[in-house]
Amino acid sequence: HRARSVFMETSEVVQELCDVLTSRLVAGLSGVKDPGQVRKWARGDLQPTQPAQQRLRFAHDVIQEIESAQGRRVAQAWAMSINPRLGYESPIKATREDRFQETAAAAKALLEEAYDR
């Protein structure tokens, strides 16, 4: 289940991310200012840069993993919340800064905490 996005078109990845987050939040995590650009990616009218694609695919896989284990509301809240494991920044900001290992570890910790309850 982990890296499902490698088998998907970029437009699909963006559509699924926008379904969970919003085009504004997806713009934030990918490193662009304009949510309209994100909507063009989702339609396939425009391709994101390579660094943006890496962030999008990473975020997609992490968010999907949390959503499938804990539900959409938890995935949304986690993505936007201040996280002590990320220096009190959100996973969205950490992803924009290419802090993939740290962000993946924070997601793993969330999933492990859920199983410990």
Side-chain angles (χ1 to χ4, degrees):
H1 176 81
R2 217 156 163 80
R4 197 168 68 85
S5 71
V6 296
F7 302 105
M8 298 169 65
E9 291 291 330
T10 304
S11 58
E12 286 178 275
V13 170
V14 176
Q15 284 165 20
E16 287 191 9
L17 264 177
C18 287
D19 286 347
V20 179
L21 300 174
T22 60
S23 56
R24 182 177 302 275
L25 292 176
V26 173
L29 71 82
S30 64
V32 299
K33 287 186 172 43
D34 179 17
Q37 202 170 338
V38 172
R39 290 189 285 275
K40 287 178 184 163
W41 296 342
R43 289 195 304 267
D45 295 344
L46 200 65
Q47 280 296 311
T49 63
Q50 199 57 47
Q53 276 199 45
Q54 287 178 330
R55 293 177 197 123
L56 291 162
R57 289 180 187 280
F58 169 79
H60 175 276
D61 291 339
V62 171
I63 297 288
Q64 290 292 322
E65 193 168 355
I66 293 169
E67 185 180 13
S68 67
Q70 295 295 314
R72 181 161 287 190
R73 280 212 317 268
V74 172
Q76 290 165 329
W78 178 83
M80 293 183 281
S81 295
I82 297 302
N83 192 312
R85 292 173 185 276
L86 298 171
Y88 294 92
E89 292 174 340
S90 70
I92 286 176
K93 185 173 193 289
T95 300
R96 179 173 62 238
E97 295 170 353
D98 298 330
R99 291 159 51 199
F100 301 128
Q101 269 183 306
E102 245 181 297
T103 307
K108 187 172 188 265
L110 171 83
L111 294 169
E112 286 170 359
E113 284 163 21
Y115 292 123
D116 289 345
R117 277 199 211 138

